[in-house]
Amino acid sequence: MPVPSLQKALFLEAKQGQWVVRSTEVVRPEPGDIVVKVEAAALGGVEWKIQAWGVLVKKYPVTLGLDGAGTVVELGEGVTTFAVGDRVLFQGNWDAATGTGTGTFLQYFTVPAQFVAKIPDNISFEAASTVPLGVGTAAFSIYNQADSAPSARYLAPWLPGGRGKYAGKSAVILGGSTSHGQYALQLVRLSGFSPIITTGSLHNTDLLKSFGATHVLDRKLSDEEIEAQVTQIAGGSVDLVYDAVSVGGTFPLALALTAPGGNMLVVQVAPDKIVEEARKDGKTVHKIHGVFRTPINHEISRTLLAKLPELLESGDIKPNRWEVLPGGLNGIVGGLERMKNDQVSGVKLVVRPQETD
Ligand SMILES: NC(=O)c1ccc[n+]([C@@H]2O[C@H](COP(=O)([O-])OP(=O)(O)OC[C@H]3O[C@@H](n4cnc5c(N)ncnc54)[C@H](OP(=O)(O)O)[C@@H]3O)[C@@H](O)[C@H]2O)c1
């Protein structure tokens, strides 16, 4: 397939600066890379925060976006696991240590083949684009067994002996309607956890139950009310607490719900006071990191990406619900504004970069 030398991409031009769609070169593949024509890219909770708060990114201009899906159009030297024309999903590249990366808010993405999965025929590009960051974030924090990984270290349900292994253990997912919260619900269901208690807006109850929640509690309840209900449902505090929200004051609730010796997983760095209190009670706080390309995630990425097509095809893992924004890459800025204003509920916003004017 012909690959152009130039493409359109959405750039954040400077720290807390302007978003601009403009031309840029298509990155040539190194050995081991593939070039993908991006048919769908999904928006995440982090992109508006980078623009509004000036956090995480150290080098501008930058193209953000951590989720994508599309068609392989070129193979780098030595790639044998994919062919031109394959439908694939992939993450944007993000290096937390240097604060640099290249995202999926563009038309052609160049990515090492080892961090890509094929999309089964029953899954659309739009649905597939909701998967990579969310499933990695949930999976790595619960199941990564690599030395010093920030993880609860359970045996993954896609590995031999993992499916149903934790029957009788309880789990809480705070914010089950977030993109990665939906994948966390599905993964702990595959692991056999029960009860699985989540918080969210009650209009998402059926959705959250379809992903595996056994109990849905209104996120508007006070921490004391949620704690009382969780204690009653689970018969005490719980072994695994996954805080998919972490901003806006969920840390104390997550800490209170975690059993002594249990694991509390958080998406933002927890305050020192929370970490210290957890340690006193024998609880461990892990800061979730869902990027495939981070070295500590390489081995678990390998096994997950190998099984992901099968998990998606069978429906064991279902993509997020999605909504397409019009205007291709030009639609992203309005979508991020809606996310910032808490106007997106239980749905992942997606653009089709090839529709960019
Ligand atoms: N560290 C990492 O590797 C990593 C990876 C991915 C994401 N993240 C972070 O995780 C967070 C979520 O990101 P996302 O893109 O998956 O989700 P998202 O789509 O931004 O989440 C939106 C959902 O959050 C829910 N929510 C908001 N406040 C809540 C609260 N107090 N209690 C319960 N639910 C609440 C809402 O649920 P209802 O509509 O049901 O009310 C809403 O549907 C972001 O802060 C993001 O930066 C971190």
Side-chain angles (χ1 to χ4, degrees):
M1 281 186 201
V3 182
S5 55
L6 287 177
Q7 61 172 330
K8 286 184 178 153
L10 175 68
F11 285 92
L12 180 58
E13 294 286 13
K15 188 171 178 175
Q16 295 178 292
Q18 298 295 312
W19 299 101
V20 177
V21 174
R22 60 176 166 83
S23 281
T24 188
E25 287 184 359
V26 174
V27 176
R28 302 297 309 143
E30 300 279 330
D33 286 348
I34 59 177
V35 183
V36 184
K37 182 178 182 185
V38 184
E39 301 290 357
L43 283 61
V46 75
E47 285 107 28
W48 69 260
K49 296 185 184 102
I50 289 172
Q51 194 278 336
W53 300 347
V55 292
L56 298 174
V57 171
K58 293 189 181 129
K59 193 160 173 251
Y60 292 90
V62 66
T63 294
L64 301 177
L66 286 165
D67 281 307
T71 310
V72 176
V73 288
E74 188 176 351
L75 304 176
E77 194 188 314
V79 175
T80 55
T81 44
F82 292 93
V84 168
D86 280 349
R87 301 167 74 247
V88 294
L89 60 81
F90 50 90
Q91 287 185 342
N93 181 21
W94 174 247
D95 181 346
T98 59
T100 59
T102 306
T104 58
F105 294 163
L106 41 58
Q107 294 179 311
Y108 290 86
F109 192 69
T110 305
V111 54
Q114 73 183 106
F115 301 118
V116 171
K118 286 184 188 162
I119 304 171
D121 291 344
N122 60 333
I123 303 289
S124 67
F125 286 124
E126 291 81 4
S129 75
T130 75
V131 174
L133 180 67
V135 83
T137 302
F140 301 164
S141 58
I142 302 171
Y143 304 112
N144 193 349
Q145 303 208 344
D147 285 347
S148 73
S151 160
R153 316 182 89 75
Y154 290 102
L155 182 65
W158 63 86
L159 293 176
R163 176 91 53 135
K165 181 175 167 65
Y166 300 104
K169 278 191 178 289
S170 49
V172 166
I173 315 290
L174 295 178
S177 310
T178 59
S179 172
H180 60 99
Q182 294 178 26
Y183 294 107
L185 286 169
Q186 297 181 77
L187 287 166
V188 297
R189 173 170 63 183
L190 291 176
S191 290
F193 281 82
S194 185
I196 300 170
I197 307 163
T198 194
T199 57
S201 295
L202 292 186
H203 63 257
N204 285 325
T205 298
D206 289 347
L207 179 76
L208 295 169
K209 288 196 167 169
S210 76
F211 288 134
T214 57
H215 300 77
V216 179
L217 306 181
D218 191 344
R219 66 181 260 201
K220 294 195 193 78
L221 293 174
S222 69
D223 285 4
E224 292 71 27
E225 286 170 308
I226 292 174
E227 189 180 347
Q229 290 203 32
V230 168
T231 306
Q232 191 191 19
I233 295 162
S237 49
V238 296
D239 307 302
L240 177 66
V241 175
Y242 184 106
D243 180 358
V245 182
S246 295
V247 287
T250 51
F251 291 121
L253 175 60
L255 181 66
L257 297 177
T258 308
N263 290 285
M264 170 175 155
L265 314 179
V266 296
V267 281
Q268 309 287 339
V269 177
D272 290 345
K273 187 165 164 273
I274 294 282
V275 176
E276 188 48 39
E277 275 181 45
R279 193 177 297 128
K280 272 193 267 169
D281 292 337
K283 309 174 185 181
T284 312
V285 180
H286 306 281
K287 161 70 170 56
I288 294 170
H289 185 71
V291 176
F292 295 155
R293 283 198 238 185
T294 301
I296 206 155
N297 293 335
H298 282 188
E299 176 55 18
I300 189 168
S301 294
R302 187 183 66 74
T303 64
L304 175 61
L305 288 167
K307 275 283 183 201
L308 199 52
E310 191 181 312
L311 292 167
L312 289 168
E313 187 166 26
S314 65
D316 281 340
I317 298 286
K318 293 190 182 61
N320 298 154
R321 288 187 311 182
W322 44 271
E323 173 191 332
V324 175
L325 301 169
L329 297 168
N330 291 301
I332 292 172
V333 177
L336 295 178
E337 197 60 25
R338 280 171 57 195
M339 294 175 79
K340 184 176 164 185
N341 295 329
D342 202 10
Q343 292 166 339
V344 180
S345 179
V347 68
K348 190 98 162 155
L349 302 180
V350 172
V351 295
R352 297 183 181 127
Q354 304 302 323
E355 292 180 353
T356 311
D357 289 335

